[in-house]
Amino acid sequence: MSTTRLTPAAAALLTLAPFLWAANAVVGRLAVPLISPVTLNFLRWVLAFGILLPLGAWVLRPQSGLWAHWRRFALLGLLGVGAYNALQYLALQTSSPLNVTLVASSMPLWMLAMGRLFFQAPVQRQQVLGALLSIAGVVLVLARGDGGQLARLRLVPGDLYMLAATVCWAWYSWLLARPKEPVAIRADWAAFLLAQITFGLMWSGAMTAAEWSMGAGHVQWGWVLAAILAFVAVGPAVIAYRCWGLGVQRAGPAVAGFFSNLTPVFAALMSTLVLGEAPAWYHGVAFALIVAGIVVSSRR
């Protein structure tokens, strides 16, 4: 059973994952002219599968318990491996890493709502206040700092893709906090992630086939793309998922959801350094609201 106590170790785990996911958004933007988004997601997880196979291959055996719980792992694979990452890379086709990660800052609201509606989790007043502060930051960015623009707000496709991805991730995080798989699989992080990737590759493979059948697939092979694939497979995939899974188990999904809002902070810094996309004044205010949401929601 997971604890909701936020320890320094849990905070470190929940901070490293957003840092790597911010890097994933920036690198994903760099990959736009080189590879189509759904294909990028598929190849990323193929490499991650190869990395984890020597560490957790036992989970693929008939007697491991994986196949008896295939429905759960199929759902985890769809939400965490197939849908979330494909939707994020699709979002980066029409939106910047900064805006994509700020839209994802609505995560606390989805975490609280989903926990209350489907997992009978109590909602505390400070969590609601923290979520509202985070949402205020998201609205500020979507309005581009202009209050009058809210009335004529028009979401680009990337914003909508990222909203869908955020809902998928909230659901995925709550499933992580409600373990139903065999203890042996849960206790072995490599086997646990490998089990999810196994089914996730089925979903992402089908999505990739659909992308190419519609004429939207493309790959421009080279050293740059090879480096991008290596990074997104090792850092944002294997390492970040390991850190996030541990953090959710130790701090609980509701508290963890607020740490996901550190992603746009890191994305802004990286975008400035790598892409030359300097943040505007309203991005700074949005960051302050997001951090305030984390502080308020973590109070006891």
Side-chain angles (χ1 to χ4, degrees), residues 139-193:
V139 171
L140 181 63
V141 170
L142 292 178
R144 280 25 175 200
D146 181 4
Q149 188 164 318
L150 287 176
R152 55 184 185 276
L153 181 63
R154 180 176 61 86
L155 296 177
V156 300
D159 296 330
L160 298 176
Y161 283 133
M162 200 61 219
L163 282 174
T166 303
V167 173
C168 288
W169 192 256
W171 189 2
Y172 172 80
S173 295
W174 272 108
L175 290 176
L176 287 182
R178 297 293 189 272
K180 294 183 179 179
E181 60 278 339
V183 175
I185 297 179
R186 186 75 176 197
D188 186 331
W189 73 270
F192 185 54
L193 184 51

Side-chain angles (χ1 to χ4, degrees), residues 25 30 46 64 71 75 88 113 145 159 168 175 179 188 263-264 282:
L30 291 172
V46 168
S64 68
R71 290 181 179 83
L75 181 56
Q88 184 184 45
D159 296 330
C168 288
L175 290 176
D188 186 331
T263 304
Y282 54 83

Side-chain angles (χ1 to χ4, degrees), residues 4-16:
T4 57
R5 182 169 174 263
L6 182 61
T7 63
L13 291 167
L14 293 170
T15 300
L16 180 57

Side-chain angles (χ1 to χ4, degrees), residues 3-300:
T3 177
T4 57
R5 182 169 174 263
L6 182 61
T7 63
L13 291 167
L14 293 170
T15 300
L16 180 57
F19 176 82
L20 291 170
W21 287 329
N24 183 51
V26 174
V27 171
R29 179 68 175 222
L30 291 172
V32 168
L34 302 177
I35 187 170
S36 50
V38 181
T39 302
L40 171 60
N41 182 55
F42 176 68
L43 293 179
R44 169 200 192 186
W45 289 110
V46 168
L47 290 177
F49 181 90
I51 293 169
L52 290 171
L53 189 59
L55 302 175
W58 67 267
V59 79
L60 302 179
R61 297 170 185 166
Q63 68 274 21
S64 68
L66 167 62
W67 308 109
H69 294 79
W70 70 267
R71 290 181 179 83
R72 174 171 171 82
F73 283 102
L75 181 56
L76 287 172
L78 172 62
L79 297 173
V81 174
Y84 176 78
N85 293 279
L87 287 168
Q88 184 184 45
Y89 289 141
L90 279 169
L92 289 166
Q93 300 288 301
T94 55
S95 191
S96 70
L98 182 54
N99 276 357
V100 162
T101 52
L102 279 166
V103 170
S105 295
S106 59
M107 178 73 72
L109 179 63
W110 299 112
M111 286 285 203
L112 294 177
M114 193 166 291
R116 183 69 182 90
L117 292 174
F118 301 109
F119 295 91
Q120 294 75 51
V123 177
Q124 300 177 359
R125 183 163 49 188
Q126 68 267 25
Q127 291 177 324
V128 175
L129 178 57
L132 292 176
L133 287 170
S134 292
I135 293 300
V138 174
V139 171
L140 181 63
V141 170
L142 292 178
R144 280 25 175 200
D146 181 4
Q149 188 164 318
L150 287 176
R152 55 184 185 276
L153 181 63
R154 180 176 61 86
L155 296 177
V156 300
D159 296 330
L160 298 176
Y161 283 133
M162 200 61 219
L163 282 174
T166 303
V167 173
C168 288
W169 192 256
W171 189 2
Y172 172 80
S173 295
W174 272 108
L175 290 176
L176 287 182
R178 297 293 189 272
K180 294 183 179 179
E181 60 278 339
V183 175
I185 297 179
R186 186 75 176 197
D188 186 331
W189 73 270
F192 185 54
L193 184 51
L194 185 64
Q196 298 175 56
I197 295 175
T198 298
F199 286 94
L201 283 176
M202 297 178 188
W203 294 111
S204 58
M207 295 174 190
T208 301
E211 181 180 61
W212 283 83
S213 67
M214 293 186 294
H218 71 275
V219 178
Q220 183 178 326
W221 292 108
W223 288 111
V224 174
L225 179 57
I228 287 173
L229 287 171
F231 172 75
V232 298
V234 175
V238 175
I239 296 176
Y241 271 63
R242 167 60 170 163
C243 291
W244 184 258
L246 278 177
V248 168
Q249 290 179 43
R250 297 182 183 187
V255 173
F258 288 91
F259 276 84
S260 67
N261 289 350
L262 289 173
T263 304
V265 179
F266 296 134
L269 296 174
M270 294 178 191
S271 293
T272 301
L273 294 173
V274 178
L275 302 177
E277 297 177 351
W281 68 266
Y282 54 83
H283 288 130
V285 177
F287 294 159
L289 290 170
I290 290 167
V291 173
I294 294 175
V295 173
V296 170
S297 66
S298 298
R299 288 179 178 173
R300 289 285 178 255

